[in-house]
Amino acid sequence: MNGVSIVMLVLAALVVFTVYKGVCIVPQGYKWVVQRLGKYQQTLEPGFSIIIPFIDRIAYKVTTKDIVLDIPSQEVITRDNVVIIANAVAYINIVRPDKAVYGIEDYEYGIRNLVQTSLRSIIGEMDLDNALSSRDEIKALLKQAISEDISDWGITLKTVEIQDINPSNTMQASMEEQAAAERLRRATVTRADGQKQAAILEADGRLEASRRDAEAQVVLAKGSEESIRLITAAMGDEEMPIVYLLGEQYIKSIQHLSESDNAKMVVLPADILSTVKGMVGDKLKV
């Protein structure tokens, strides 16, 4: 092989290498940033493209897929001076790769810090109860706060979600003690109300029973009065009705005495009428 053949082979190899360096095939889901002599030249879209070899170079390969950024947990102080732990996750998309790589040194680091700062500011204006129950509101305020800032970097914020927002360990212990005390207080109040209602019902029962006893006494008195009147009308003697009634009560007493467990023997007087008259005494003679 002579020298001319060697030169031709070298030139052919050089041409092939030059063509290889000038041909770019960008895969789907990416955009390539091209620099010419150290200065931004263009952004290559997915597909086939040609650049000037040895002058142009691929400086950055930027994904156009949605990027998930995990925002680390941090301590946040609420308006009522309660420390809570909060973290989030942000979904972003790079629409202008040139701005993303030239507008900020590290856009992921910048967005994480921006979200953390905005999150502290938003929760710092809320009370503990609002912060724990207003995730949607915090999310909306957070998205509004950082969307405009990151748009200058050619980045769109798709959404941002609050993963966890919980009181600190010390605060959780205090809340548990408070909840336990509240449950104990409610149990005490409920028990006291129950005892109060029971006492009221018991008093109402005694009152109703006393009222019924009084009504029964009245009914019995009226019955006795009617009995005396009927007996007097039937016998026509002022002495006999009283004797009759006293005798009836006397016999009932003897009967109850005989039914007692302690009673061994009951002796009835032979002349019950004289016995009853003796109980009344001289009053029957008036």
Side-chain angles (χ1 to χ4, degrees):
M1 182 180 294
N2 54 26
V4 176
S5 298
I6 296 175
V7 171
M8 292 297 294
L9 288 175
V10 172
L11 290 176
L14 182 61
V15 169
V16 172
F17 181 74
T18 301
V19 172
Y20 172 78
K21 293 290 291 184
V23 174
C24 294
I25 299 177
V26 181
Q28 187 68 37
Y30 287 88
K31 290 183 180 181
W32 291 359
V33 177
V34 178
Q35 288 182 348
R36 178 171 295 176
L37 300 177
K39 183 179 179 181
Y40 170 71
Q41 176 61 27
Q42 62 177 328
T43 299
L44 301 181
E45 300 291 335
F48 178 82
S49 300
I50 297 177
I51 61 175
I52 301 175
F54 309 110
I55 296 178
D56 296 342
R57 74 179 186 91
I58 306 301
Y60 300 97
K61 296 180 180 180
V62 180
T63 180
T64 57
K65 303 174 185 177
D66 288 346
I67 300 174
V68 181
L69 292 181
D70 185 38
I71 311 301
S73 299
Q74 61 176 334
E75 292 186 351
V76 183
I77 301 177
T78 62
R79 184 169 57 186
D80 48 352
N81 295 322
V82 177
V83 178
I84 62 177
I85 309 298
N87 68 341
V89 58
Y91 298 84
I92 63 174
N93 183 267
I94 301 175
V95 295
R96 291 288 304 274
D98 55 320
K99 288 187 175 182
V101 297
Y102 294 118
I104 184 171
E105 181 68 26
D106 186 343
Y107 61 84
E108 291 189 1
Y109 178 78
I111 293 175
R112 285 193 179 97
N113 280 272
L114 189 59
V115 172
Q116 285 184 316
T117 302
S118 300
L119 189 60
R120 286 196 300 268
S121 177
I122 292 171
I123 296 180
E125 296 178 356
M126 293 183 172
D127 295 332
L128 174 62
D129 293 339
N130 291 334
L132 295 178
S133 61
S134 304
R135 291 197 177 198
D136 291 339
E137 181 181 353
I138 296 174
K139 168 185 171 181
L141 293 174
L142 191 58
K143 184 176 181 180
Q144 180 181 358
I146 66 177
S147 292
E148 185 176 353
D149 293 333
I150 68 174
S151 64
D152 294 337
W153 305 334
I155 300 174
T156 299
L157 177 66
K158 290 296 190 68
T159 186
V160 59
E161 298 290 342
I162 306 299
Q163 284 187 311
D164 294 311
I165 179 168
N166 300 309
S168 62
N169 294 334
T170 303
M171 188 60 195
Q172 285 184 3
S174 299
M175 293 176 66
E176 290 175 359
E177 291 179 0
Q178 182 180 3
E182 178 64 18
R183 289 193 295 268
L184 180 60
R185 184 191 68 82
R186 291 181 180 178
T188 302
V189 171
T190 302
R191 183 166 55 253
D193 288 341
Q195 293 174 350
K196 176 182 177 182
Q197 294 297 326
I200 292 175
L201 292 176
E202 183 180 358
D204 290 341
R206 291 198 302 269
L207 178 61
E208 183 65 20
S210 299
R211 185 182 294 112
R212 294 295 180 89
D213 289 341
E215 292 176 354
Q217 293 295 330
V218 172
V219 172
L220 291 175
K222 289 182 178 180
S224 298
E225 179 184 358
E226 182 67 17
S227 298
I228 294 173
R229 186 183 64 79
L230 292 176
I231 293 172
T232 302
M235 294 183 176
D237 190 344
E238 294 181 357
E239 176 183 350
M240 291 306 297
I242 297 176
V243 173
Y244 175 80
L245 292 175
L246 289 176
E248 183 181 14
Q249 294 299 322
Y250 180 78
I251 293 174
K252 287 181 179 181
S253 298
I254 296 299
Q255 181 181 0
H256 290 319
L257 181 62
S258 66
E259 294 174 354
S260 175
D261 295 336
N262 296 326
K264 301 300 182 180
M265 180 179 297
V266 177
V267 179
L268 295 178
D271 190 355
I272 296 178
L273 181 60
S274 299
T275 302
V276 173
K277 287 184 177 181
M279 293 170 60
V280 177
D282 296 338
K283 293 182 180 179
L284 293 175
K285 300 177 180 181
V286 177

